[in-house]
Amino acid sequence: RTARRAAGPRAPHRAPSGREAGHTVSPPWRVRCSGRAPPARAAPAMLAGAGVACLEFEQQAVLMETGGKATTVVEFSPNGRLLAAPNGNMVWVWRVPPVGEPLPPGGVPRSHRLLGHDLGISTLVWSSCGEFLVSGSDDRTARLWDVEAMRTVRLLEEHESFVTCATFGPASHLLITGSADERARVWDVRAPRCVRVIEAHSEALTDVDVQRTGEEMLTCSRDGLLRFWDLPSGRCISTIVTDGIQHTPIGAARYTPNGEYVLSAALDHNVRLWLRDDESPHARCLRAFRGHENGRLQIGLGLLERGGSDTSVVCGSEDGRILAWDMATCVEQACIQGHNDTVFGVSPCPGGGRVATSGGAGDKGRVVLWRVVEERRPQATAGGTGQHLNGHQVPGPRAPGPVARPVPPQPMTNGHG
């Protein structure tokens, strides 16, 4: 599948023209950034002596094994009570007890099966109400499912290649899908009809997200570009090109909960946190989270809420590890050997306390449910930039902090480690 394959030889990069990128007046700002976080400075007094939460991942259940197929995505519903994952061309849904309640004896049973696609499924996304689920497939279609009725409500089939990513707007009737045909399509699922086609990139789209206001969306692609769009008009607002890695595919990107920052995961072993100024052609890389292996495939990326304004960046790795960093301090909080192959899917439960992950074919496509426990430990080093994130001061890069390393659920068998 195009969006999941290792990056091979590619033609010289060609940035789309203004017309190709959907501009109506002028070409977008092209913002070149170093891709490096700023140097550390003295820590503000308010942070001196603060504790850093070390996260421990406790395996609760293995929900599914596919045998010899990768499970490319796993997704919690907005209330955290339903969990969906594909198995080939169908989707399984589990009804998960609230965080803090014990799992049923014998594990979590499957509650729904959604069957309709002809080929494998690359993406899943829930509506904000949690009643509907969208699946995107290699059969070039996206399906809108009524989960409780287990039936297809809408069949969206205008893409010319694999549907690789999807997201809902704040209003659940607005859906955006991305494809290996290099386009993003905006749908009104009430009709259903495609209300806009955006010629977004020069290679396959890998992720799409909508800002919480519903006025802006982002796309990223294997062409190495991260683009921002005015959603009502389809006009490109800006394009981030990172110096020296503009040919490196970007596998995932999303807005932070407050909508002011953006996370991106490139196939150069870095997850970056960007601050973009809407009033000028300016973008700045505030953080670069490192330690995972990500040079060939798309990996899972998510944000784990820990209470208040505390948030952790959680991502998978091609060697089967799951890593977490504190988003404000860049401190590594957890590193566990959760799978025996690439961790393709990472879905933190809304509200925190739980994470679901899914593995590659070498891991038998396992879907694993983890309980996340915080443990406060003394902060080892200090540094700051004076920026603010989610309402509190964001310090600069720090040396790696305490790392939680639970015993792996089973030994490595595929040569990684």
Side-chain angles (χ1 to χ4, degrees):
R1 288 151 57 175
T2 303
R4 301 284 181 187
R5 289 174 185 163
R10 59 180 66 246
H13 172 70
R14 176 185 63 82
S17 66
R19 183 177 297 275
E20 290 173 314
H23 315 307
T24 57
V25 179
S26 60
W29 296 112
R30 292 180 64 83
V31 185
R32 291 194 174 271
C33 309
S34 67
R36 303 183 186 89
R41 304 176 186 172
M46 63 176 289
L47 291 172
V52 177
C54 182
L55 303 181
E56 295 188 1
F57 282 62
E58 174 190 321
Q59 182 176 307
Q60 288 189 295
V62 176
L63 301 182
M64 180 179 73
E65 289 186 359
T66 63
K69 296 176 292 186
T71 303
T72 55
V73 62
V74 61
E75 194 72 23
F76 271 110
S77 64
N79 65 3
R81 297 300 305 277
L82 297 174
L83 180 68
N87 183 354
N89 64 343
M90 63 180 165
V91 180
W92 285 108
V93 180
W94 294 264
R95 200 177 299 276
V96 183
V99 175
E101 292 188 10
L103 300 184
V108 181
R110 297 167 181 166
S111 59
H112 305 83
R113 184 180 74 158
L114 310 177
L115 185 60
H117 284 291
D118 296 327
L119 295 174
I121 294 168
S122 297
T123 185
L124 295 171
V125 59
W126 290 90
S127 64
S128 58
C129 64
E131 297 179 10
F132 302 99
L133 178 72
V134 167
S135 56
S137 169
D138 289 359
D139 64 11
R140 306 183 182 185
T141 70
R143 287 177 179 264
L144 177 68
W145 302 89
D146 181 328
V147 175
E148 289 299 328
M150 293 189 290
R151 65 184 181 89
T152 299
V153 179
R154 296 284 187 265
L155 176 62
L156 312 175
E157 48 184 351
E158 293 187 22
H159 279 293
E160 298 175 7
S161 189
F162 312 142
V163 178
T164 56
C165 50
T167 190
F168 276 101
S172 290
H173 68 272
L174 196 65
L175 173 71
I176 299 94
T177 57
S179 169
D181 65 11
E182 305 170 6
R183 300 179 181 92
R185 290 180 180 268
V186 183
W187 309 82
D188 185 337
V189 297
R190 298 171 299 184
R193 62 189 180 92
C194 180
V195 297
R196 180 166 294 107
V197 179
I198 299 175
E199 302 286 344
H201 291 271
S202 60
E203 293 195 45
L205 273 69
T206 53
D207 211 349
V208 59
D209 196 18
V210 176
Q211 197 179 38
R212 64 177 184 176
T213 62
E215 297 297 312
E216 180 184 295
M217 76 172 190
L218 65 79
T219 59
C220 63
S221 166
R222 294 186 63 83
D223 64 9
L225 302 180
L226 180 61
R227 283 198 156 128
F228 300 88
W229 307 84
D230 178 71
L231 190 53
S233 68
R235 181 178 62 88
C236 187
I237 302 170
S238 63
T239 300
I240 293 179
V241 183
T242 308
D243 285 341
I245 63 167
Q246 56 264 40
H247 298 296
T248 303
I250 299 177
R254 62 205 57 212
Y255 290 100
T256 57
N258 64 5
E260 298 176 8
Y261 303 83
V262 173
L263 277 173
S264 68
L267 271 64
D268 66 345
H269 316 284
N270 283 273
V271 173
R272 292 178 173 85
L273 180 67
W274 302 94
L275 171 64
R276 189 175 61 81
D277 187 348
D278 290 330
E279 303 301 324
S280 69
H282 175 73
R284 188 149 57 96
C285 180
L286 298 179
R287 299 286 179 271
F289 304 94
R290 303 183 181 95
H292 59 297
E293 293 293 326
N294 184 207
R296 301 181 300 112
L297 305 169
Q298 283 180 248
I299 57 170
L301 177 67
L303 290 169
L304 176 67
E305 301 170 13
R306 306 194 332 258
S309 60
D310 293 335
T311 304
S312 295
V313 178
V314 184
C315 84
S317 179
E318 290 172 6
D319 57 10
R321 290 177 298 147
I322 304 165
L323 294 91
W325 302 268
D326 180 72
M327 186 164 64
T329 65
C330 217
V331 169
E332 185 180 279
Q333 297 175 293
C335 178
I336 66 169
Q337 192 68 56
H339 293 266
N340 293 331
D341 200 354
T342 301
V343 181
F344 285 120
V346 170
S347 181
C349 181
R354 185 176 280 161
V355 172
T357 59
S358 63
D363 188 58
K364 300 182 180 179
R366 293 189 310 151
V367 174
V368 182
L369 197 61
W370 305 88
R371 177 172 172 260
V372 183
V373 180
E374 281 195 43
E375 180 182 349
R376 288 280 171 182
R377 295 187 182 179
Q379 193 164 324
T381 57
T385 66
Q387 297 297 320
H388 284 76
L389 185 63
N390 294 337
H392 61 276
Q393 183 105 10
V394 177
R398 303 173 185 271
V403 178
R405 299 184 184 275
V407 177
Q410 60 185 80
M412 297 292 288
T413 59
N414 66 347
H416 298 299

